[in-house]
Every structure is written in C-alpha cells, then in structure tokens.
C-alpha cells in the first residue's frame, strides 16, 4: 500500500498532509527516514510518524481506529488544527467527549465561524478536500459597502485574488443596508482566505464570515461551539459528491 494511503488509513491525517509529513522527513520506515510518499509499504514494515508507531508488527498490524465523523459549528477565535505551537485554542478541544484522534477537513480562518467537518478517516477527508472533486462550500458573509450588480457579476464570473483568478461562484445578495450587505456565496475551491480576498478584489471588506454548508450538508440549527455525529446517510451523500 502506498505510504500516504497507509498513514491516512491509520487515522493520523489526510493523504495530502501525509505527503507533507513524509517530505518533511517526519516519517520513518524500520527506523530510517523515508521521504518518498509513493513508497510501497510492505508487510512487516514498522512505520512511525513523528516518532509514533502506526501499525506494523509491534501493534499487531492494527492501524485502524473506529472511523468517526462529526460536524462542528466552529466559533471564531479557534485555530483549525489539532495543536498549536503558540498554544492558541484549537478546534479539536471543542470535541470534548471524542476519544478518537480526529482532525479537521479543510480549513476555516481563526476569525471564521461555521461548519467544519472532523474525522479520523483519511480517505473521507481526501475525497472531500481534493480539488478535482470540486465540492461546493457555501458561506454567509457580512460585507462593507454596496454590493452592486456589477460587483456581484464580477464575483460570480471570477476575480483576481493576487495571481489567481477564481472559478465561477454562486452569489446571492440577501440584504443590502446603507453601508453593508449580507451575501451568500458558494465556491468550489479553497484557496487561503479566498472569500475575504474575493470581496477585497471588488472593493468590499468582509466583516463577518460563516460557513453554512459543505456539499449537501448544511449547518442547520447546530449551535456555535456544538458538534454532532454525521448520520450514515449524510456520510454517504458526501462520499457521492
Ligand atoms: N474563505 C475565507 O476567506 N476564509 C475562510 O475561513 C474560508 C473561506
């Protein structure tokens, strides 16, 4: 089995993150650093990530924790990570009664709230975060200024966010006030701070940002800071995207 798949299957992280860890020299096979994500893990190989044994003979070959799937309504002020070297609050702290080592799928800025999927299933995470699957992510943004028809059309068609032109988006102005607006925007990409940069590109500033849906899954009435398990139907619907 390919090394990145093996690591993801052990519930450590996504395949992409496994590649990063491997290239960074954090992965060892039988005590020797292995920096090739494409390495084919053999029966009996002893694989460690950051010094931690995952599978291999010493653990009886068991790599798999029970797979779990959660949706969290992330509050502002939390970093989307499993740990932080500056000791800031991280999203995994909010899943207080979850014993499995879950990690977030994709990323929300510290100052963004809303729907965040958490799992220990690397394949599930890979499916949802791989750009080729183009999963729609929907946000509700409160922005400064007037979202004119012209600005709306630009956002919809694609804007330059600094050397990258965004793919077509879905945009609905829900409310226009004197100096601000509430806009629903759905994108299929996930560039760093993309929604904020898109509004900046048309002369508006994001004042508040909440993710309200990922693919078919909506945040619904889940309270801020709360989480729940996904149902089997919800998991299957996300896998079908
Ligand atoms: N776009 C942003 O600007 N921030 C997020 O957190 C998500 C999408």
């Amino acid at each position: 089995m390919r090394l990145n798949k093996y690591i993801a299957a052990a519930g450590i992280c996504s395949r992409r993150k496994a590649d990063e860890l491997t290239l960074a020299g954090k992965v060892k096979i039988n005590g020797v650093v292995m920096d090739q994500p494409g390495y084919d893990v053999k029966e009996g190989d002893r694989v460690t990530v950051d010094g931690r044994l995952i599978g291999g003979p010493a653990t009886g070959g068991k790599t798999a924790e029970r797979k779990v799937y959660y949706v969290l309504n992330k509050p502002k002020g939390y970093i989307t990570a499993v740990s932080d070297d500056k000791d800031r609050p991280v999203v995994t702290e909010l899943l207080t009664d979850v014993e499995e080592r879950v990690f977030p799928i994709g990323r929300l800025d510290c100052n963004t709230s809303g729907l965040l999927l958490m799992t220990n299933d690397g394949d599930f995470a890979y499916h949802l975060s791989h750009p080729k699957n183009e999963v729609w992510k929907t946000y509700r943004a409160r922005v400064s200024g007037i979202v004119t028809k012209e600005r709306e059309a630009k956002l919809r068609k694609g804007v330059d966010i600094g050397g990258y032109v965004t793919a077509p988006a879905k945009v609905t102005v829900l409310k226009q006030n004197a100096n601000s607006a509430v806009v629903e925007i759905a994108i299929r990409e996930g560039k760093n701070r993309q929604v904020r940069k898109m509004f900046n590109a048309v002369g508006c500033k994001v004042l508040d940002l909440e993710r309200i849906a990922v693919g078919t899954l909506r945040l619904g009435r889940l309270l801020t800071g709360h989480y729940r398990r996904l149902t089997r139907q919800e998991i299957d619907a996300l896998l079908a995207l």
Side-chain angles (χ1 to χ4, degrees):
M1 185 189 284
R2 259 179 87 89
L3 182 56
N4 58 1
K5 195 169 175 201
Y6 185 89
I7 296 171
I12 303 293
C13 56
S14 66
R15 273 194 226 176
R16 192 135 16 114
K17 185 77 194 166
D19 285 345
E20 283 173 28
L21 291 168
T22 309
L23 293 169
K26 304 268 168 116
V27 176
K28 287 186 182 171
I29 309 282
N30 304 321
V32 179
V33 171
M34 167 49 67
D35 60 4
Q36 306 291 317
Y39 172 78
D40 187 29
V41 180
K42 319 275 181 320
E43 176 108 39
D45 271 348
R46 200 170 176 280
V47 182
T48 57
V49 176
D50 253 343
R52 193 168 69 183
L53 183 64
I54 58 155
T59 60
K62 284 200 203 84
T63 56
E65 268 179 331
R66 174 176 69 122
K67 299 285 186 261
V68 292
Y69 309 85
Y70 291 92
V71 52
L72 165 73
N73 186 345
K74 176 194 170 298
K76 285 183 189 180
Y78 281 78
I79 309 278
T80 306
V82 294
S83 63
D84 183 60
D85 47 15
K86 295 191 197 121
D87 248 356
R88 293 167 296 183
V90 292
V91 288
T92 43
E93 289 166 21
L94 294 162
L95 276 63
T96 45
D97 65 358
V98 175
E99 282 168 10
E100 291 79 8
R101 287 166 307 175
V102 293
F103 56 88
I105 303 179
R107 200 160 59 83
L108 290 178
D109 299 338
C110 184
N111 218 11
T112 301
S113 63
L115 196 163
L116 188 64
L117 288 164
M118 311 274 295
T119 186
N120 57 354
D121 183 342
D123 287 335
F124 181 73
Y126 179 80
H127 176 81
L128 286 176
S129 47
H130 199 286
K132 82 168 188 294
N133 288 334
E134 301 191 332
V135 175
W136 287 100
K137 274 110 14 199
T138 310
Y139 298 85
R140 186 163 298 163
R142 196 166 64 81
V143 304
S144 66
I146 313 283
V147 181
T148 58
K149 287 277 167 229
E150 197 191 345
R151 285 174 162 159
E152 200 182 323
K154 278 190 190 162
L155 288 167
R156 218 173 257 144
K157 185 158 174 265
V159 288
D160 190 331
I161 55 167
Y164 178 82
V165 178
T166 57
K170 298 180 195 170
V171 183
T172 311
V173 179
L174 300 175
K175 194 168 181 206
Q176 180 62 65
N177 304 315
N179 289 312
S180 66
V182 180
V183 184
E184 199 167 290
I185 179 163
I187 56 173
R188 284 178 296 175
E189 308 142 291
K191 299 285 174 209
N192 189 27
R193 300 177 74 80
Q194 181 165 338
V195 173
R196 294 173 199 276
K197 287 179 184 167
M198 286 174 76
F199 278 101
N200 280 346
V202 298
C204 297
K205 185 171 183 323
V206 170
L207 306 172
D208 241 317
L209 189 62
E210 181 187 25
R211 182 152 71 186
I212 57 169
V214 170
T216 46
L217 186 73
R218 299 193 70 85
L219 191 55
R221 280 203 276 264
L222 192 61
L223 297 174
T224 305
H226 288 238
Y227 62 96
R228 68 168 177 85
R229 270 175 182 261
L230 294 186
T231 64
R232 189 68 244 174
Q233 286 91 325
E234 287 172 332
I235 296 164
D236 289 343
L238 289 170
L239 283 171
L241 293 171

